[in-house]
Amino acid sequence: MINIAVLGYGTVGSGVVEVFGSNQEQISRNAGEEIYVKYILDLRDFPGDPYEARVVHDFNVILEDDGVSVVCETMGGVGAAYQFTKQALAAGKSVCTSNKELVARHGTELLALAAEKHCNYMFEASVGGGIPILRTIQDSLSAERIEAVTGILNGTTNYILYKMETEHADYCEVLKQAQELGYAERNPEADVEGHDTCRKTAILAALATGKTVDADRIHTEGITGITLADFEFASRKNRTIKLLASAKVQKDGRLLAMVAPFMLPMGHPLATVGDVFNAVMVTGNMLGDTLFYGRGAGKLPTASAVAADVIDCARNLGRTVMGGWSAEKAEMADTAEMDSRFFVRTGVSAAEDVEKAFWGKYDPAVSEGILFGEEYGFFTPVMKEKDFNEICRKLGDAVSGKIRLM
């Protein structure tokens, strides 16, 4: 029997316990022996809960129990979760987590510590929920040189954009709906401003390149500026709008990473990913494009990914199999030098001047400009991001909206 402990009995933690309870027979068969949830760490008591007798309030009870081989960290944050993870690994206990913030910030250190102590630090659930994308990159695509990873990595923002598009509801209305359904937190900033996607992008890029990727250096934009007018224009151009994570290895070896809304054609593989679903497209130098799709969030999909990592750890007690990435930092390309094309939205009265600023002339036939109500939208030519930003700075409030094109 292999004993495990679950840190945090919230949404994901309770889901992990539920997965082990519901799928015990299959899990034991795949692991090679029974896996038993011996402890659940939480500050609260859970009277009447089927597992209340296993709840402890002191992490040292778990740390000092040599019979516990694997710890599931589902607490979140980078405070106690970091300290407990580090202590567990130092004691030779493998750790499985869904904590993308912790992995993005301290993954390099924790992976090295796991290797030193001949155990594992696994985090499949930190990116894409139940989509097995990290294990796929590390194992199934290990013969590939990964050239790019592009994806929809946040179910909350994808849900908001999907509902804005399909129900013609404004951002604030859909955000409130998402909060009522439990898809968005009371403070949704991490999701809607792109921070959650940024952390996941850093993890994917680190695995793809084998080097440490600093999330703070990834250019990040959210979806709070997207309006129904943007979707109206996109619809008339047979396009949609998605918050995309993008990490591409340039010919010079530098990594170009970005999180931002993109207006992409309906024929694009990511265009039809709706609701709270996620999808990741991986481009290898030999294989080309492969697409992975599924539930990117939620209690049980995320818990299932944590449980799969536990099984992997159980199969490999006493040896490290999670490769991860090195401490060498990836050299980041400057997004200001990136060539992009944009959709620009402006008021009808300023349309001619704004379009001239980008094209040197006012010609809707060339810019694919369209009037809708009191607003005008058009596509810019391909230009450096720094040049686009400088023009926007000079135009000021005349530019009411801007979205990159895919």
Side-chain angles (χ1 to χ4, degrees), residues 174-369:
V174 179
L175 173 59
K176 183 179 178 182
Q177 186 183 79
Q179 289 170 321
E180 291 171 350
L181 291 170
Y183 295 152
E185 301 289 342
R186 181 173 298 179
N187 178 0
E189 181 180 352
D191 291 323
V192 300
E193 295 294 351
H195 304 314
D196 175 82
T197 300
C198 174
R199 292 162 187 152
K200 295 171 181 176
T201 305
I203 296 169
L204 280 171
L207 268 184
T209 62
K211 299 177 182 179
T212 298
V213 176
D214 185 353
D216 292 336
R217 297 194 60 196
I218 296 176
H219 178 87
T220 303
E221 300 173 19
I223 65 167
T224 54
I226 304 299
T227 69
L228 288 176
D230 296 322
F231 277 107
E232 172 66 21
F233 187 94
S235 175
R236 291 166 69 174
K237 291 296 184 181
N238 198 31
R239 288 175 174 263
T240 187
I241 301 168
K242 300 292 183 184
L243 182 70
L244 296 185
S246 176
K248 299 178 181 179
V249 179
Q250 307 288 81
K251 290 182 179 180
D252 61 6
R254 293 184 301 165
L255 179 69
L256 183 62
M258 171 181 287
V259 173
F262 281 81
M263 189 177 284
L264 57 159
M266 292 305 297
H268 192 282
L270 298 175
T272 56
V273 178
D275 212 273
V276 294
F277 285 85
N278 281 193
V280 184
M281 187 165 66
V282 181
T283 305
N285 69 319
M286 297 288 115
L287 181 62
D289 293 335
T290 52
L291 184 67
F292 304 87
Y293 169 87
R295 292 192 175 275
K299 175 179 178 176
L300 294 179
T302 303
S304 177
V306 175
D309 277 349
V310 172
I311 293 171
D312 208 1
C313 289
R315 290 169 173 166
N316 294 283
L317 293 178
R319 66 188 185 119
T320 303
V321 295
M322 184 66 190
W325 52 84
S326 72
E328 180 186 355
K329 291 188 176 181
E331 186 178 354
M332 306 292 286
D334 186 356
T335 56
E337 298 295 331
M338 184 172 82
D339 289 324
S340 299
R341 197 180 184 202
F342 290 80
F343 159 70
V344 171
R345 178 165 44 83
T346 184
V348 171
S349 61
E352 185 170 343
D353 290 338
V354 172
E355 188 168 304
K356 279 182 177 179
F358 290 99
W359 282 97
K361 60 182 177 179
Y362 177 66
D363 188 347
V366 173
S367 68
E368 302 182 63

